[in-house]
Amino acid sequence: MAVRGRFDLHTHSTVSDGTEPPGTVVRQAAAAGLAGLALTDHDSTAGWADATAAAREAGVGLLPGVELSTRLGWRSVHVLGYLVDPAHPGLVAETERIRVSRRDRARRIVDAIAADYPLTWDDVVAQTAPGATVGRPHIADALVALGIEPDRSAAFAGVLHPRRGYVEPHYAPTPADGVALLRAAGGVPVLAHPGATRAEWVIPEEEVAALVDAGLFGIEADHPENTPGGGRLAAALAARFGLPVTGSSDYHGSGKPNRLGQRTTAPEVVDAIIEQGTGTDPVLP
């Protein structure tokens, strides 16, 4: 069955760093007139059940997904994985390792900030939904709640900017290992938002070739945070390797100014993802 209409293939809920529960994100997508969406929380599939129930009720499509954290040297590289098997042992083990590292890293960041600002771990946990992994966005929300920063974006540009010295990296696999793992779990991997900075700052061309060899499906070249140069480079990388381009909002509720449906993916690309994904079934309207 071919899909019809617009799909937004990158959204977040309170399971990771969004501000709305999974079901609410789905209902917001329906209200925005989207034909469907993908829920892609960071390193977690815990929101799938709520999102699936809401999608069936609202009559919109859903591609259950995950945004896997990977690292290439000092670069943080995210890979979206659609229709993975949430019980795949390798994926379960790796995402758990990443989440534990995220949590422990967040605690060290908070301790460092607390030496200079009136911030406590309890302040940060208070900004986190039950079951979610504490991360930098929750630290940002705590800084906002305390009046230290005016909003989440300002917190990332201010106290949480790497130049301030509080932030450190967390564990993540290499991008090629991440792509291979998502494929092994029956998923369809897409390189997330390389155009949000200059693409070569995220991942150089020779590394994209390694991702293609590992099973990369496409590149998220249409993203609201693209810089002009970064967006062009991301699209050029897709063309260079013959990869489909996806479009997504990277919706976080009130956590980012990005709006649902601000960028969408062509139906034929969604069809190709559904055809290749074997780890779990999509919800189709």
Side-chain angles (χ1 to χ4, degrees):
M1 173 182 171
V3 303
R4 296 287 183 270
R6 300 180 302 143
F7 270 65
D8 184 338
L9 294 186
H10 188 167
T11 70
H12 293 273
S13 75
T14 49
V15 167
S16 60
D17 54 347
T19 60
E20 298 166 347
T24 301
V25 175
V26 172
R27 288 186 285 274
Q28 294 275 34
L34 291 170
L37 74 159
L39 182 71
T40 52
D41 281 309
H42 291 286
D43 307 307
S44 178
T45 62
W48 285 16
D50 186 18
T52 296
R56 288 174 175 152
E57 181 180 344
V60 296
L62 174 70
L63 271 58
V66 63
E67 185 171 8
L68 185 69
S69 301
T70 74
R71 184 167 298 281
L72 182 65
W74 55 267
R75 302 174 178 94
S76 176
V77 180
H78 289 178
V79 183
L80 297 158
Y82 304 109
L83 304 176
V84 298
D85 175 1
H88 182 271
L91 185 62
V92 169
E94 191 70 340
T95 52
E96 174 64 14
R97 183 179 181 188
I98 295 168
R99 289 196 302 270
V100 168
S101 181
R102 273 184 180 274
R103 181 200 65 207
D104 294 347
R105 185 271 300 256
R107 187 64 184 258
R108 291 191 296 271
I109 292 173
V110 170
D111 289 345
I113 294 173
D116 299 318
Y117 295 92
L119 175 71
T120 69
W121 183 246
D122 287 344
D123 293 328
V124 176
V125 172
Q127 301 297 321
T128 308
T133 301
V134 179
R136 287 187 304 152
H138 306 110
I139 300 172
D141 291 344
L143 292 169
V144 173
L146 292 168
I148 297 169
E149 296 283 11
D151 56 44
R152 188 186 276 188
S153 296
F156 274 100
V159 173
L160 289 173
H161 193 282
R163 68 172 175 266
R164 296 294 300 274
Y166 300 117
V167 174
E168 60 180 82
H170 61 79
Y171 165 77
T174 68
D177 285 346
V179 167
L181 177 59
L182 291 168
R183 280 293 189 184
V188 183
V190 169
L191 180 62
H193 47 60
T197 58
R198 288 186 64 82
E200 72 268 25
W201 293 352
V202 175
I203 185 165
E205 184 172 322
E206 61 270 21
E207 293 294 337
V208 177
L211 299 193
V212 173
D213 289 342
L216 186 69
F217 168 83
I219 294 179
E220 187 186 51
D222 190 8
H223 188 281
E225 295 170 45
N226 278 351
T227 65
R232 287 193 296 270
L233 277 168
L237 281 172
R240 162 74 177 79
F241 291 100
L243 302 176
V245 166
T246 65
S248 312
S249 69
D250 200 357
Y251 180 68
H252 284 68
S254 61
K256 278 187 175 184
N258 309 23
R259 297 296 91 198
L260 270 170
Q262 190 173 356
R263 300 288 190 275
T264 56
T265 299
E268 60 269 22
V269 176
V270 179
D271 284 336
I273 291 171
I274 292 171
E275 182 179 353
Q276 290 192 22
T278 61
T280 197
D281 292 330
V283 177
L284 296 177

